[in-house]
Amino acid sequence: MGETPGRTPGRLDELASRAGKWLGRSAAAPERHTAAVVADRFDRITWRDTYEQSAGLRDVAAELNERYRYTTDLLTDVFLAAYKVGPRLRERAEMNPSRLVNHQVITSLVESLEFAELRRETAGDPYAAAMAVLAQAAALRGMLERSRSAQERAERAKQAQQDAEGAADAVGEALQQAADEADWSNGVGAPAADAVQQAIEAAETADAAARQAAQDAAQALAAAPGIRAAARNAAAKAARAVREEAALMRAWGVGSGELERMPFDQRARLAERLRSGRLARWAELIGRFRQMAGGERARKVENATGELVGVTLGDDLSRVIPSELANLGLPELRAVFAARYAAGELMLYDSQGEQATGQGAIIACVDTSHSMYEAGPGGVTREAWAKACALALLDQARHAGRDFVGVLFSSADKIKVFRFPSGRPAGIARILDFAETFLGGGTSYQAPLTAARELLEEEFNDTARTRGDIVMITDDECGVTEEWMRGWNDAKHQLGFRVFGVAIGAPRAAETGSVLEALCDNLRSIEDLTDVHAAADLFRVI
């Protein structure tokens, strides 16, 4: 073999010894990950399906990707950290240098107490985890903006790492070339030996540069302002958003099982409707009403001989319901009490062990005239209280296996009927239609009560059920004709239904001798619209 002047030929074994540090270095390098959260195939499928279903997630990803890099990976990590019951993060050394900012953000989130609170709401629920991502979008944008310098250095660290791996590969290639040129005694010519030495020196330089770049990136990440504080605030905000939506769903009676079966977009549209609908601001009142009604149901004694099962008429003073006894406390109503007692028409708790299976529908006649829009003490509107009471009566009917009908009324020509048969799912969309409908106008008793009577007659003709319950909720007093009143009393006697009246902030309607008092077997007046327990006895006797 020829030799280049001034160069010393080497032996192949000596060259291999000097190059050994770099041989196979890129092949032996640990895998560099782009995802900070360790996830299995099923986790990734869940994220992909949720991302495809959520226009909100795609919009956030598109917006962030316009200004920052690798943000889809970051959103994936935020989602999985919220979704997984016990998320595990990769070590920083395992990460692709370009994703070090993502790793820092996720680490700051997961290590905060606020994020642990968030996971109590989101773990195992893809929709809630997606909500958490959306709720943190603004904070993520801020953290990425504050990390711009760190991201630039991370990019340089990534490039330096690639250069170092390329330089290591070049050492192997140079050594292979030297091996191909070696003579029978493993001697290597000066040019080939020099190429190996130059490759080794280049690899050492590239490796030092990569280490320095990685150190610079780490320092820049550590110096990025406010990342941990922003992460805590973002997690706390997301936890509030998820809790508020969950409370909203519970207030409207949407169970977790129904939510799990609901497609993502449908659930998102439902949540938006609940947040922006006519009664959105009264969700807490509706929830309290339903909770109160559930508690009153629990206090009811189930149907067996000698147990309280409902209300009947009679003169047994030991079983008089509280609202009847209240009349004794008012001098002007004592004569009414005495007259009812003499006629055996006091409202009594029924203890004959009757079975509820024969009971007819529960019908809530809800006044939606203009005056119902007025607010009472505490800022609660009469409409909100009436609708909350009606929704609790719907729950009461579903629990007892009874049909429920909501009759919304105002003027004589304005009436709308919503039927909820016991054998079919109520459907949250139909419930919201009922709750959000407001007719406006004046007030007519005959139209809604005639509709209620006809519904009970229809039920009797179809199923022979009697003993329905009508709850008349109004804030006004109006007249009825004598002819209509005779027909009403005849139907009531035939069908055996009871009528409960609720006068909301309407002293005239609750007065002795009022039309509403004459129509109802039991009448109560509600003044404090913030007190859901004012109508608690309804749910013990219906």
Side-chain angles (χ1 to χ4, degrees), residues 449-500:
L449 291 175
T450 297
R453 183 194 69 202
E454 291 173 349
L455 287 164
L456 292 177
E457 288 173 346
E458 177 186 332
E459 183 179 43
F460 175 75
N461 293 333
D462 291 344
T463 65
R465 288 181 182 171
T466 58
R467 299 173 57 242
D469 291 310
I470 299 174
V471 181
M472 183 73 166
I473 309 174
T474 182
D475 71 338
D476 203 356
E477 170 74 351
C478 66
V480 296
T481 66
E482 290 184 10
E483 181 182 359
W484 182 90
M485 194 68 177
R486 284 194 296 271
W488 172 259
N489 288 331
D490 290 343
K492 186 176 178 185
H493 176 74
Q494 177 188 1
L495 300 173
F497 59 80
R498 302 174 297 179
V499 184
F500 297 85

Tab-separated table of all heavy atoms in Angstrom, residues 449-500:
chain	number	residue	atom	x	y	z
A	449	LEU	N	-106.776	23.710	33.597
A	449	LEU	CA	-107.445	22.702	34.405
A	449	LEU	C	-108.364	21.826	33.561
A	449	LEU	O	-108.522	20.627	33.840
A	449	LEU	CB	-108.225	23.378	35.530
A	449	LEU	CG	-107.345	24.039	36.602
A	449	LEU	CD1	-108.197	24.782	37.616
A	449	LEU	CD2	-106.464	23.010	37.303
A	450	THR	N	-108.959	22.394	32.523
A	450	THR	CA	-109.737	21.578	31.595
A	450	THR	C	-108.834	20.575	30.895
A	450	THR	O	-109.186	19.395	30.742
A	450	THR	CB	-110.443	22.472	30.555
A	450	THR	OG1	-111.366	23.327	31.222
A	450	THR	CG2	-111.190	21.629	29.532
A	451	ALA	N	-107.664	21.033	30.460
A	451	ALA	CA	-106.707	20.116	29.822
A	451	ALA	C	-106.297	19.010	30.786
A	451	ALA	O	-106.201	17.835	30.403
A	451	ALA	CB	-105.481	20.894	29.343
A	452	ALA	N	-106.051	19.373	32.047
A	452	ALA	CA	-105.663	18.377	33.049
A	452	ALA	C	-106.785	17.367	33.269
A	452	ALA	O	-106.553	16.153	33.345
A	452	ALA	CB	-105.294	19.067	34.363
A	453	ARG	N	-108.012	17.863	33.386
A	453	ARG	CA	-109.148	16.959	33.584
A	453	ARG	C	-109.289	15.999	32.399
A	453	ARG	O	-109.497	14.797	32.580
A	453	ARG	CB	-110.426	17.783	33.736
A	453	ARG	CG	-111.678	16.964	34.025
A	453	ARG	CD	-112.923	17.796	33.812
A	453	ARG	NE	-113.108	18.098	32.390
A	453	ARG	CZ	-113.839	19.119	31.934
A	453	ARG	NH1	-114.404	19.966	32.774
A	453	ARG	NH2	-113.975	19.298	30.627
A	454	GLU	N	-109.176	16.521	31.187
A	454	GLU	CA	-109.311	15.673	29.999
A	454	GLU	C	-108.212	14.618	29.935
A	454	GLU	O	-108.445	13.486	29.502
A	454	GLU	CB	-109.290	16.553	28.745
A	454	GLU	CG	-110.538	17.421	28.605
A	454	GLU	CD	-110.430	18.410	27.459
A	454	GLU	OE1	-109.311	18.561	26.913
A	454	GLU	OE2	-111.454	19.037	27.116
A	455	LEU	N	-107.025	14.984	30.363
A	455	LEU	CA	-105.925	14.011	30.388
A	455	LEU	C	-106.225	12.883	31.376
A	455	LEU	O	-105.962	11.708	31.095
A	455	LEU	CB	-104.621	14.710	30.765
A	455	LEU	CG	-104.008	15.604	29.677
A	455	LEU	CD1	-102.974	16.541	30.279
A	455	LEU	CD2	-103.368	14.753	28.586
A	456	LEU	N	-106.764	13.226	32.529
A	456	LEU	CA	-107.100	12.200	33.515
A	456	LEU	C	-108.279	11.349	33.044
A	456	LEU	O	-108.327	10.134	33.304
A	456	LEU	CB	-107.405	12.856	34.858
A	456	LEU	CG	-106.205	13.516	35.551
A	456	LEU	CD1	-106.640	14.205	36.838
A	456	LEU	CD2	-105.106	12.496	35.840
A	457	GLU	N	-109.239	11.960	32.344
A	457	GLU	CA	-110.339	11.178	31.766
A	457	GLU	C	-109.814	10.210	30.714
A	457	GLU	O	-110.238	9.045	30.652
A	457	GLU	CB	-111.370	12.128	31.142
A	457	GLU	CG	-112.190	12.905	32.161
A	457	GLU	CD	-113.066	13.960	31.502
A	457	GLU	OE1	-112.836	14.270	30.304
A	457	GLU	OE2	-113.975	14.484	32.182
A	458	GLU	N	-108.888	10.682	29.887
A	458	GLU	CA	-108.288	9.822	28.865
A	458	GLU	C	-107.536	8.660	29.510
A	458	GLU	O	-107.637	7.506	29.060
A	458	GLU	CB	-107.334	10.662	28.005
A	458	GLU	CG	-106.578	9.882	26.950
A	458	GLU	CD	-105.542	10.742	26.244
A	458	GLU	OE1	-105.734	11.974	26.166
A	458	GLU	OE2	-104.530	10.175	25.790
A	459	GLU	N	-106.801	8.964	30.568
A	459	GLU	CA	-106.065	7.914	31.266
A	459	GLU	C	-107.021	6.896	31.874
A	459	GLU	O	-106.788	5.680	31.816
A	459	GLU	CB	-105.180	8.533	32.344
A	459	GLU	CG	-104.316	7.530	33.093
A	459	GLU	CD	-103.436	8.183	34.140
A	459	GLU	OE1	-103.933	9.073	34.858
A	459	GLU	OE2	-102.252	7.800	34.242
A	460	PHE	N	-108.119	7.378	32.452
A	460	PHE	CA	-109.102	6.475	33.048
A	460	PHE	C	-109.728	5.579	31.981
A	460	PHE	O	-109.895	4.365	32.177
A	460	PHE	CB	-110.184	7.273	33.764
A	460	PHE	CG	-111.293	6.433	34.311
A	460	PHE	CD1	-111.106	5.659	35.459
A	460	PHE	CD2	-112.532	6.377	33.672
A	460	PHE	CE1	-112.122	4.867	35.955
A	460	PHE	CE2	-113.552	5.589	34.169
A	460	PHE	CZ	-113.350	4.833	35.314
A	461	ASN	N	-110.057	6.152	30.830
A	461	ASN	CA	-110.672	5.373	29.764
A	461	ASN	C	-109.715	4.338	29.182
A	461	ASN	O	-110.126	3.254	28.762
A	461	ASN	CB	-111.173	6.305	28.647
A	461	ASN	CG	-112.325	7.179	29.097
A	461	ASN	OD1	-113.070	6.810	29.992
A	461	ASN	ND2	-112.448	8.356	28.479
A	462	ASP	N	-108.419	4.683	29.150
A	462	ASP	CA	-107.433	3.767	28.559
A	462	ASP	C	-106.957	2.705	29.538
A	462	ASP	O	-106.709	1.551	29.147
A	462	ASP	CB	-106.222	4.559	28.059
A	462	ASP	CG	-106.557	5.420	26.855
A	462	ASP	OD1	-107.608	5.174	26.237
A	462	ASP	OD2	-105.767	6.340	26.552
A	463	THR	N	-106.784	3.073	30.818
A	463	THR	CA	-106.135	2.157	31.771
A	463	THR	C	-106.939	1.934	33.038
A	463	THR	O	-106.513	1.155	33.892
A	463	THR	CB	-104.754	2.721	32.171
A	463	THR	OG1	-104.941	3.946	32.884
A	463	THR	CG2	-103.882	2.969	30.945
A	464	ALA	N	-108.068	2.626	33.163
A	464	ALA	CA	-108.912	2.541	34.365
A	464	ALA	C	-108.209	3.072	35.605
A	464	ALA	O	-108.622	2.781	36.727
A	464	ALA	CB	-109.378	1.100	34.610
A	465	ARG	N	-107.184	3.857	35.416
A	465	ARG	CA	-106.498	4.454	36.566
A	465	ARG	C	-107.260	5.684	37.051
A	465	ARG	O	-107.748	6.485	36.257
A	465	ARG	CB	-105.075	4.870	36.206
A	465	ARG	CG	-104.116	3.718	36.005
A	465	ARG	CD	-102.739	4.246	35.683
A	465	ARG	NE	-101.797	3.165	35.433
A	465	ARG	CZ	-100.575	3.348	34.955
A	465	ARG	NH1	-100.158	4.577	34.680
A	465	ARG	NH2	-99.764	2.328	34.753
A	466	THR	N	-107.333	5.810	38.351
A	466	THR	CA	-107.916	6.994	38.970
A	466	THR	C	-106.888	7.571	39.926
A	466	THR	O	-105.729	7.202	39.913
A	466	THR	CB	-109.210	6.636	39.721
A	466	THR	OG1	-108.914	5.641	40.715
A	466	THR	CG2	-110.258	6.081	38.758
A	467	ARG	N	-107.327	8.484	40.789
A	467	ARG	CA	-106.502	9.036	41.852
A	467	ARG	C	-105.268	9.748	41.304
A	467	ARG	O	-104.169	9.600	41.810
A	467	ARG	CB	-106.088	7.958	42.851
A	467	ARG	CG	-107.258	7.303	43.546
A	467	ARG	CD	-106.848	6.121	44.418
A	467	ARG	NE	-105.874	6.511	45.395
A	467	ARG	CZ	-104.643	6.004	45.457
A	467	ARG	NH1	-104.254	5.095	44.602
A	467	ARG	NH2	-103.811	6.407	46.397
A	468	GLY	N	-105.477	10.540	40.240
A	468	GLY	CA	-104.395	11.391	39.775
A	468	GLY	C	-104.211	12.587	40.695
A	468	GLY	O	-105.024	12.838	41.594
A	469	ASP	N	-103.139	13.307	40.474
A	469	ASP	CA	-102.841	14.502	41.277
A	469	ASP	C	-102.567	15.673	40.354
A	469	ASP	O	-101.742	15.577	39.437
A	469	ASP	CB	-101.628	14.270	42.178
A	469	ASP	CG	-101.915	13.284	43.294
A	469	ASP	OD1	-102.930	13.451	43.979
A	469	ASP	OD2	-101.118	12.335	43.464
A	470	ILE	N	-103.263	16.760	40.596
A	470	ILE	CA	-103.036	18.010	39.848
A	470	ILE	C	-102.424	19.032	40.804
A	470	ILE	O	-102.932	19.241	41.904
A	470	ILE	CB	-104.354	18.558	39.270
A	470	ILE	CG1	-104.974	17.552	38.289
A	470	ILE	CG2	-104.114	19.899	38.576
A	470	ILE	CD1	-106.352	17.955	37.798
A	471	VAL	N	-101.316	19.641	40.366
A	471	VAL	CA	-100.678	20.700	41.150
A	471	VAL	C	-100.767	21.982	40.334
A	471	VAL	O	-100.204	22.083	39.244
A	471	VAL	CB	-99.210	20.364	41.473
A	471	VAL	CG1	-98.599	21.479	42.315
A	471	VAL	CG2	-99.105	19.033	42.198
A	472	MET	N	-101.500	22.932	40.849
A	472	MET	CA	-101.727	24.217	40.178
A	472	MET	C	-100.768	25.252	40.775
A	472	MET	O	-100.862	25.601	41.959
A	472	MET	CB	-103.173	24.658	40.388
A	472	MET	CG	-103.544	25.949	39.679
A	472	MET	SD	-103.705	25.702	37.907
A	472	MET	CE	-104.527	27.227	37.446
A	473	ILE	N	-99.814	25.729	39.961
A	473	ILE	CA	-98.806	26.678	40.436
A	473	ILE	C	-99.033	28.003	39.720
A	473	ILE	O	-98.870	28.091	38.498
A	473	ILE	CB	-97.384	26.163	40.170
A	473	ILE	CG1	-97.210	24.735	40.701
A	473	ILE	CG2	-96.352	27.083	40.803
A	473	ILE	CD1	-95.875	24.101	40.363
A	474	THR	N	-99.404	29.032	40.451
A	474	THR	CA	-99.753	30.307	39.835
A	474	THR	C	-99.431	31.457	40.782
A	474	THR	O	-99.226	31.248	41.987
A	474	THR	CB	-101.248	30.332	39.468
A	474	THR	OG1	-101.574	31.560	38.822
A	474	THR	CG2	-102.122	30.171	40.708
A	475	ASP	N	-99.419	32.660	40.222
A	475	ASP	CA	-99.196	33.850	41.049
A	475	ASP	C	-100.361	34.823	40.907
A	475	ASP	O	-100.248	35.998	41.250
A	475	ASP	CB	-97.889	34.540	40.662
A	475	ASP	CG	-97.979	35.230	39.311
A	475	ASP	OD1	-98.853	34.861	38.501
A	475	ASP	OD2	-97.181	36.145	39.043
A	476	ASP	N	-101.468	34.334	40.367
A	476	ASP	CA	-102.568	35.257	40.079
A	476	ASP	C	-103.894	34.638	40.508
A	476	ASP	O	-103.977	33.451	40.833
A	476	ASP	CB	-102.604	35.575	38.581
A	476	ASP	CG	-103.301	36.894	38.289
A	476	ASP	OD1	-103.821	37.511	39.235
A	476	ASP	OD2	-103.299	37.306	37.110
A	477	GLU	N	-104.933	35.440	40.522
A	477	GLU	CA	-106.288	35.007	40.851
A	477	GLU	C	-107.190	35.388	39.687
A	477	GLU	O	-107.126	36.510	39.172
A	477	GLU	CB	-106.776	35.687	42.141
A	477	GLU	CG	-108.240	35.493	42.456
A	477	GLU	CD	-108.584	34.106	42.949
A	477	GLU	OE1	-107.701	33.223	42.892
A	477	GLU	OE2	-109.725	33.892	43.376
A	478	CYS	N	-107.982	34.433	39.212
A	478	CYS	CA	-108.916	34.739	38.142
A	478	CYS	C	-110.182	33.910	38.345
A	478	CYS	O	-110.192	32.945	39.113
A	478	CYS	CB	-108.304	34.478	36.769
A	478	CYS	SG	-107.949	32.742	36.456
A	479	GLY	N	-111.235	34.261	37.648
A	479	GLY	CA	-112.515	33.609	37.855
A	479	GLY	C	-112.744	32.429	36.936
A	479	GLY	O	-112.039	32.227	35.940
A	480	VAL	N	-113.754	31.604	37.284
A	480	VAL	CA	-114.218	30.504	36.442
A	480	VAL	C	-115.749	30.587	36.414
A	480	VAL	O	-116.378	31.140	37.323
A	480	VAL	CB	-113.770	29.131	36.978
A	480	VAL	CG1	-112.262	29.011	36.955
A	480	VAL	CG2	-114.288	28.893	38.392
A	481	THR	N	-116.368	30.040	35.399
A	481	THR	CA	-117.823	30.097	35.310
A	481	THR	C	-118.458	29.039	36.200
A	481	THR	O	-117.834	28.014	36.522
A	481	THR	CB	-118.287	29.879	33.870
A	481	THR	OG1	-117.964	28.544	33.465
A	481	THR	CG2	-117.600	30.870	32.916
A	482	GLU	N	-119.723	29.255	36.575
A	482	GLU	CA	-120.425	28.283	37.403
A	482	GLU	C	-120.602	26.967	36.657
A	482	GLU	O	-120.483	25.886	37.244
A	482	GLU	CB	-121.786	28.852	37.817
A	482	GLU	CG	-121.707	30.009	38.804
A	482	GLU	CD	-123.079	30.467	39.257
A	482	GLU	OE1	-124.068	29.752	38.945
A	482	GLU	OE2	-123.157	31.512	39.914
A	483	GLU	N	-120.915	27.056	35.380
A	483	GLU	CA	-121.095	25.837	34.591
A	483	GLU	C	-119.814	25.021	34.558
A	483	GLU	O	-119.827	23.798	34.718
A	483	GLU	CB	-121.526	26.207	33.168
A	483	GLU	CG	-121.761	24.999	32.279
A	483	GLU	CD	-122.138	25.399	30.871
A	483	GLU	OE1	-122.226	26.616	30.585
A	483	GLU	OE2	-122.328	24.488	30.036
A	484	TRP	N	-118.695	25.719	34.336
A	484	TRP	CA	-117.415	25.000	34.310
A	484	TRP	C	-117.130	24.370	35.674
A	484	TRP	O	-116.653	23.236	35.750
A	484	TRP	CB	-116.295	25.976	33.946
A	484	TRP	CG	-114.951	25.307	33.847
A	484	TRP	CD1	-114.390	24.758	32.745
A	484	TRP	CD2	-114.021	25.099	34.925
A	484	TRP	NE1	-113.163	24.206	33.047
A	484	TRP	CE2	-112.918	24.401	34.394
A	484	TRP	CE3	-114.018	25.430	36.271
A	484	TRP	CZ2	-111.822	24.031	35.163
A	484	TRP	CZ3	-112.929	25.053	37.047
A	484	TRP	CH2	-111.841	24.369	36.504
A	485	MET	N	-117.435	25.085	36.754
A	485	MET	CA	-117.169	24.582	38.099
A	485	MET	C	-117.979	23.319	38.380
A	485	MET	O	-117.484	22.384	39.014
A	485	MET	CB	-117.481	25.665	39.133
A	485	MET	CG	-116.938	25.365	40.525
A	485	MET	SD	-115.128	25.414	40.543
A	485	MET	CE	-114.760	25.118	42.260
A	486	ARG	N	-119.232	23.274	37.889
A	486	ARG	CA	-120.035	22.064	38.098
A	486	ARG	C	-119.411	20.877	37.370
A	486	ARG	O	-119.317	19.772	37.921
A	486	ARG	CB	-121.460	22.315	37.594
A	486	ARG	CG	-122.303	23.169	38.524
A	486	ARG	CD	-123.770	23.092	38.163
A	486	ARG	NE	-124.030	23.640	36.824
A	486	ARG	CZ	-124.308	24.924	36.582
A	486	ARG	NH1	-124.349	25.796	37.592
A	486	ARG	NH2	-124.554	25.346	35.357
A	487	GLY	N	-118.988	21.101	36.151
A	487	GLY	CA	-118.336	20.016	35.405
A	487	GLY	C	-117.040	19.571	36.069
A	487	GLY	O	-116.710	18.378	36.104
A	488	TRP	N	-116.319	20.523	36.604
A	488	TRP	CA	-115.067	20.221	37.312
A	488	TRP	C	-115.333	19.347	38.535
A	488	TRP	O	-114.669	18.318	38.739
A	488	TRP	CB	-114.403	21.524	37.709
A	488	TRP	CG	-113.198	21.387	38.606
A	488	TRP	CD1	-113.156	21.580	39.945
A	488	TRP	CD2	-111.881	21.022	38.200
A	488	TRP	NE1	-111.888	21.367	40.427
A	488	TRP	CE2	-111.077	21.010	39.373
A	488	TRP	CE3	-111.296	20.712	36.989
A	488	TRP	CZ2	-109.734	20.703	39.346
A	488	TRP	CZ3	-109.944	20.397	36.966
A	488	TRP	CH2	-109.169	20.395	38.129
A	489	ASN	N	-116.311	19.711	39.322
A	489	ASN	CA	-116.618	18.930	40.528
A	489	ASN	C	-117.128	17.534	40.187
A	489	ASN	O	-116.805	16.560	40.874
A	489	ASN	CB	-117.646	19.674	41.384
A	489	ASN	CG	-117.040	20.903	42.056
A	489	ASN	OD1	-115.847	20.932	42.351
A	489	ASN	ND2	-117.862	21.929	42.295
A	490	ASP	N	-117.921	17.423	39.109
A	490	ASP	CA	-118.393	16.105	38.691
A	490	ASP	C	-117.221	15.209	38.289
A	490	ASP	O	-117.154	14.035	38.673
A	490	ASP	CB	-119.358	16.243	37.508
A	490	ASP	CG	-120.689	16.868	37.916
A	490	ASP	OD1	-120.966	16.886	39.139
A	490	ASP	OD2	-121.431	17.329	37.028
A	491	ALA	N	-116.312	15.765	37.503
A	491	ALA	CA	-115.151	14.979	37.066
A	491	ALA	C	-114.276	14.595	38.248
A	491	ALA	O	-113.758	13.467	38.322
A	491	ALA	CB	-114.339	15.779	36.045
A	492	LYS	N	-114.135	15.497	39.171
A	492	LYS	CA	-113.304	15.212	40.346
A	492	LYS	C	-113.904	14.079	41.166
A	492	LYS	O	-113.192	13.188	41.658
A	492	LYS	CB	-113.174	16.486	41.185
A	492	LYS	CG	-112.218	16.368	42.357
A	492	LYS	CD	-112.087	17.704	43.072
A	492	LYS	CE	-111.171	17.578	44.259
A	492	LYS	NZ	-111.105	18.842	45.056
A	493	HIS	N	-115.219	14.093	41.303
A	493	HIS	CA	-115.883	13.022	42.046
A	493	HIS	C	-115.738	11.691	41.315
A	493	HIS	O	-115.482	10.645	41.941
A	493	HIS	CB	-117.358	13.370	42.224
A	493	HIS	CG	-118.138	12.291	42.902
A	493	HIS	ND1	-118.032	12.035	44.262
A	493	HIS	CD2	-119.042	11.373	42.399
A	493	HIS	CE1	-118.814	11.015	44.576
A	493	HIS	NE2	-119.435	10.593	43.467
A	494	GLN	N	-115.884	11.700	39.998
A	494	GLN	CA	-115.816	10.475	39.214
A	494	GLN	C	-114.402	9.893	39.191
A	494	GLN	O	-114.219	8.682	39.329
A	494	GLN	CB	-116.283	10.746	37.786
A	494	GLN	CG	-116.185	9.522	36.869
A	494	GLN	CD	-116.473	9.880	35.419
A	494	GLN	OE1	-116.726	11.044	35.104
A	494	GLN	NE2	-116.468	8.885	34.554
A	495	LEU	N	-113.417	10.738	38.993
A	495	LEU	CA	-112.045	10.266	38.799
A	495	LEU	C	-111.240	10.208	40.087
A	495	LEU	O	-110.157	9.608	40.118
A	495	LEU	CB	-111.329	11.173	37.793
A	495	LEU	CG	-111.965	11.243	36.394
A	495	LEU	CD1	-111.262	12.294	35.550
A	495	LEU	CD2	-111.911	9.874	35.716
A	496	GLY	N	-111.709	10.856	41.130
A	496	GLY	CA	-111.038	10.785	42.419
A	496	GLY	C	-109.694	11.475	42.463
A	496	GLY	O	-108.822	11.092	43.248
A	497	PHE	N	-109.506	12.477	41.617
A	497	PHE	CA	-108.200	13.140	41.648
A	497	PHE	C	-108.163	14.207	42.737
A	497	PHE	O	-109.193	14.700	43.187
A	497	PHE	CB	-107.847	13.745	40.287
A	497	PHE	CG	-108.810	14.755	39.761
A	497	PHE	CD1	-108.808	16.073	40.205
A	497	PHE	CD2	-109.722	14.410	38.763
A	497	PHE	CE1	-109.669	17.017	39.696
A	497	PHE	CE2	-110.595	15.352	38.244
A	497	PHE	CZ	-110.578	16.653	38.719
A	498	ARG	N	-106.948	14.544	43.141
A	498	ARG	CA	-106.723	15.580	44.151
A	498	ARG	C	-106.108	16.801	43.481
A	498	ARG	O	-105.407	16.676	42.470
A	498	ARG	CB	-105.783	15.070	45.243
A	498	ARG	CG	-106.271	13.833	45.952
A	498	ARG	CD	-105.218	13.296	46.925
A	498	ARG	NE	-103.984	12.880	46.249
A	498	ARG	CZ	-102.910	12.402	46.885
A	498	ARG	NH1	-102.923	12.279	48.200
A	498	ARG	NH2	-101.842	12.056	46.215
A	499	VAL	N	-106.366	17.958	44.062
A	499	VAL	CA	-105.820	19.195	43.510
A	499	VAL	C	-105.058	19.923	44.609
A	499	VAL	O	-105.613	20.226	45.668
A	499	VAL	CB	-106.927	20.107	42.953
A	499	VAL	CG1	-106.297	21.348	42.304
A	499	VAL	CG2	-107.780	19.366	41.937
A	500	PHE	N	-103.792	20.169	44.325
A	500	PHE	CA	-102.936	20.914	45.244
A	500	PHE	C	-102.657	22.279	44.616
A	500	PHE	O	-102.312	22.372	43.435
A	500	PHE	CB	-101.621	20.179	45.485
A	500	PHE	CG	-101.786	18.842	46.134
A	500	PHE	CD1	-102.051	17.705	45.367
A	500	PHE	CD2	-101.697	18.704	47.509
A	500	PHE	CE1	-102.202	16.474	45.969
A	500	PHE	CE2	-101.849	17.478	48.118
A	500	PHE	CZ	-102.110	16.353	47.344
